Amino acid sequence: MGNRIGVVLALAALLGGCSRPEPRPAPVASQPTSVSPSPAPASVSPPAPTPGERLPGFVVLTDLDPRIHADIRYATPHNFVGRPIAGYPEPLCLLTREAAEALRRVQDAALAGGHSLKVYDCYRPQPAVDDFVAWSKRPGEQQTKAEFYPDVAKNRLFAEGYIGAPTAHSRGSTLDLTLVDEPAASQPPYRVGQPLVACTAPRGQRFADNSIDMGTGFDCFDSRAHTANPRITGTARDNRRLLQRLMTDAGFVNYDREWWHYSFRDEPYPDTFFAAPVARSSVG
């Protein structure tokens, strides 16, 4: 029984853009926390959320900097589950003010080089992680496999390491993002039921995201999504390095198995996993 419980809890960060265990930035001492004074171990689920929980010190990113583009995939059906995810009633990027202010500095630097940031996911509530866990236990739900995990069997995702501790996204200073040319090209809308192409396919064949070429699509569960994967060369490699340099210069740390994933090093809530929904009413 103990082993079964451990496996279920370990699945709490399955996929969703932060799927494997990630190195955590050094915590800031004496910061407030609503959960525990110490980090949650990889095998322990975060405590249950408090009803009516708000997000102290969080902001809507595009209110702080409307120049940044947003494509919040988990509020839509275009993600690895294939439907909107629990906890995303609004397509917003919520972040701690500290992380958002740092991202504004990144945007200034990106624009100087003719690019703009585009965010895919920011704060992710614990109910969304729970939704991913429930999905992982339903083997028949694989309608987006051809795009997001074309070379991995769903029932092998745990065994092959697509898991981690409770996701850093729930602490509010981690986000998934890319670069787009500025002005940004239009992006065709995603249509449920449209033919799917592997996220590892060449840029001109996979989903027509207006991101500059990063070698794979977002949320691509494949080793080619590792930031420094040697199979990614030329322009795509240079673009990943550009994003990494811009983010690192502003105090963000990349998770090396996902080119899109960054955490603010000086995050104010290093030990807190929030559960309030992604909604404007949750901030303030």
Side-chain angles (χ1 to χ4, degrees), residues 220-235:
C220 190
F221 304 134
D222 188 275
S223 62
R224 279 164 284 194
H226 297 184
T227 307
N229 186 279
R231 289 181 288 176
I232 304 301
T233 60
T235 298

Side-chain angles (χ1 to χ4, degrees), residues 62-132:
T62 50
D63 288 353
L64 185 72
D65 192 338
R67 304 171 301 172
I68 297 175
H69 301 271
D71 181 7
I72 308 301
R73 294 289 184 86
Y74 298 144
T76 79
H78 190 204
N79 57 65
F80 69 91
V81 175
R83 55 166 171 75
I85 304 303
Y88 286 82
E90 299 177 44
L92 297 173
C93 171
L94 308 184
L95 288 172
T96 60
R97 180 171 290 277
E98 293 85 347
E101 292 282 4
L103 205 63
R104 180 159 60 180
R105 296 193 293 272
V106 179
Q107 177 72 354
D108 289 338
L111 287 171
H115 298 103
S116 177
L117 299 178
K118 184 176 84 165
V119 293
Y120 293 114
D121 190 39
C122 302
Y123 161 70
R124 183 184 308 161
Q126 184 60 35
V129 180
D130 297 339
D131 198 4
F132 293 160

Side-chain angles (χ1 to χ4, degrees), residues 20-21 43-44 48 60 70 82 84 87 101 103 105 109 120 165 170-171 186-187 195 205 211 224 248 250 279 282:
R20 303 178 180 84
S43 61
V44 177
V60 178
E101 292 282 4
L103 205 63
R105 296 193 293 272
Y120 293 114
S170 297
R171 304 197 298 261
S186 61
Q187 178 174 298
Q205 298 176 25
S211 170
R224 279 164 284 194
T248 300
S282 295

Side-chain angles (χ1 to χ4, degrees), residues 24 27-28 33-40 171 267 269-273:
R24 288 177 54 167
V28 180
T33 174
S34 65
V35 176
S36 167
S38 59
R171 304 197 298 261
E267 62 180 306
Y269 300 111
D271 306 314
T272 305
F273 299 87

Side-chain angles (χ1 to χ4, degrees), residues 78 144-151 196-203 205-207 213-225 232 240 259-260:
H78 190 204
T144 62
K145 173 178 171 57
E147 179 175 359
F148 293 99
Y149 51 109
D151 299 321
L196 300 180
V197 178
C199 56
T200 54
R203 184 189 184 199
Q205 298 176 25
R206 62 180 183 261
F207 177 74
D213 188 11
M214 293 292 185
T216 75
F218 165 61
D219 256 4
C220 190
F221 304 134
D222 188 275
S223 62
R224 279 164 284 194
I232 304 301
R240 290 186 184 189
W259 60 257
W260 54 82

Side-chain angles (χ1 to χ4, degrees), residues 39-53:
S43 61
V44 177
S45 176
T50 301
E53 181 181 5

